[in-house]
């Protein structure tokens, strides 16, 4: 590969939850906010998807939008299901919000390289010690706040991980 091409490659990140209307669109917005703040958004492609297609074509859950907006995040993404035919090849990091999302993604993966791209969001946590980002859909307001707390923390960790990885790959 021409050396110039490497620097032009974007790091592609896909966040995945069940419905793609609460957790993963929020992760997408938090991560986009972080890379914008750092002035490095041109190096990234960031998207989200759901393991279920129930809400395909819908904007984020209005409750999630309200809580996100209070922290300055505008949830603009429209729900879509994971496409196993294209997403596993396209994205470098595929990040599951909970264990069921991870099981579903593992079942969709067709080869070892696909499995290697799978991570749990909370594996990148710095301050919190949660095993997953809990589904806020059937709960109260505090669930939506917890989602944002966990995502702000783990997206920071993810950005540090990606930056370190990129440095090592360039050496
Ligand atoms: P999400 O939340 O996976 O964070 O988008 C949910 C959205 C919808 C449903 C469950 C969880 N649902 O049952 O429709």
């Amino acid at each position: 590969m021409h050396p110039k091409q490497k620097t032009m490659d974007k790091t592609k990140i896909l966040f995945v939850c069940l419905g793609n209307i609460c957790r993963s669109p929020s992760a997408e917005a938090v991560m986009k906010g972080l890379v914008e703040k750092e002035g490095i958004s041109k190096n990234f492609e960031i998207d989200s998807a759901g393991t279920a297609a129930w809400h395909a074509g819908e904007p984020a859950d209005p409750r999630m939008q309200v809580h996100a907006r209070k922290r300055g995040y505008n949830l603009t993404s429209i729900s879509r299901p994971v496409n196993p035919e294209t997403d596993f090849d396209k994205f470098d990091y595929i990040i599951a919000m909970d264990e069921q999302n991870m099981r579903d993604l593992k079942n969709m993966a067709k080869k070892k390289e696909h499995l290697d791209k799978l991570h749990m969001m909370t594996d990148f946590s710095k301050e919190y010690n949660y095993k997953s980002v809990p589904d806020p859909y059937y709960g109260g307001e505090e669930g939506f706040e917890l989602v944002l707390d966990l995502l702000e923390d783990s997206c920071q960790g993810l950005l540090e991980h990606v930056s370190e990885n990129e440095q090592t790959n360039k050496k």
Side-chain angles (χ1 to χ4, degrees):
M1 190 188 287
H2 191 278
K4 185 96 181 137
Q5 199 177 331
K6 180 65 206 161
T7 58
M8 286 160 64
D9 275 351
K10 290 179 192 255
T11 299
K12 301 187 185 72
I13 303 172
L14 182 69
F15 296 104
V16 176
C17 62
L18 176 60
N20 191 214
I21 54 169
C22 296
R23 293 165 292 174
S24 61
S26 300
E28 178 186 336
V30 169
M31 196 67 189
K32 282 181 174 168
L34 261 184
V35 298
E36 264 159 39
K37 197 174 79 188
E38 300 288 328
I40 51 174
S41 45
K42 66 171 190 337
N43 301 339
F44 288 86
E45 182 167 338
I46 299 165
D47 195 3
S48 65
T51 56
W54 306 325
H55 296 277
E58 294 175 20
D61 186 299
R63 299 165 297 171
M64 192 74 249
Q65 289 197 43
V66 166
H67 287 274
R69 201 169 300 126
K70 279 198 283 184
R71 299 193 194 198
Y73 305 110
N74 204 4
L75 303 189
T76 54
S77 85
I78 300 295
S79 176
R80 71 159 178 99
V82 174
N83 184 342
E85 303 306 320
T86 55
D87 286 334
F88 283 92
D89 287 324
K90 172 176 176 176
F91 288 94
D92 305 303
Y93 296 86
I94 300 176
I95 304 196
M97 296 297 137
D98 66 29
E99 291 92 343
Q100 185 60 53
N101 307 149
M102 181 57 95
R103 280 192 289 274
D104 292 339
L105 285 165
K106 281 184 178 166
N107 286 335
M108 290 179 207
K110 293 180 184 17
K111 43 186 175 180
K112 163 99 172 49
E113 297 92 275
H114 293 169
L115 290 169
D116 291 344
K117 295 178 177 191
L118 297 176
H119 306 267
M120 288 293 286
M121 183 82 261
T122 43
D123 284 350
F124 300 104
S125 295
K126 292 160 66 75
E127 307 282 336
Y128 289 88
N129 194 18
Y130 277 67
K131 275 195 165 140
S132 68
V133 181
D135 182 349
Y137 193 71
Y138 293 105
E141 306 230 321
E142 66 289 349
F144 292 91
E145 288 298 318
L146 177 62
V147 165
L148 292 163
D149 289 339
L150 294 175
L151 292 177
E152 287 183 326
D153 181 41
S154 53
C155 282
Q156 183 65 48
L158 172 61
L159 181 56
E160 288 167 20
H161 173 88
V162 170
S163 307
E164 280 162 24
N165 230 1
E166 293 296 305
Q167 285 307 318
T168 335
N169 290 343
K170 270 181 210 149
K171 275 180 201 155

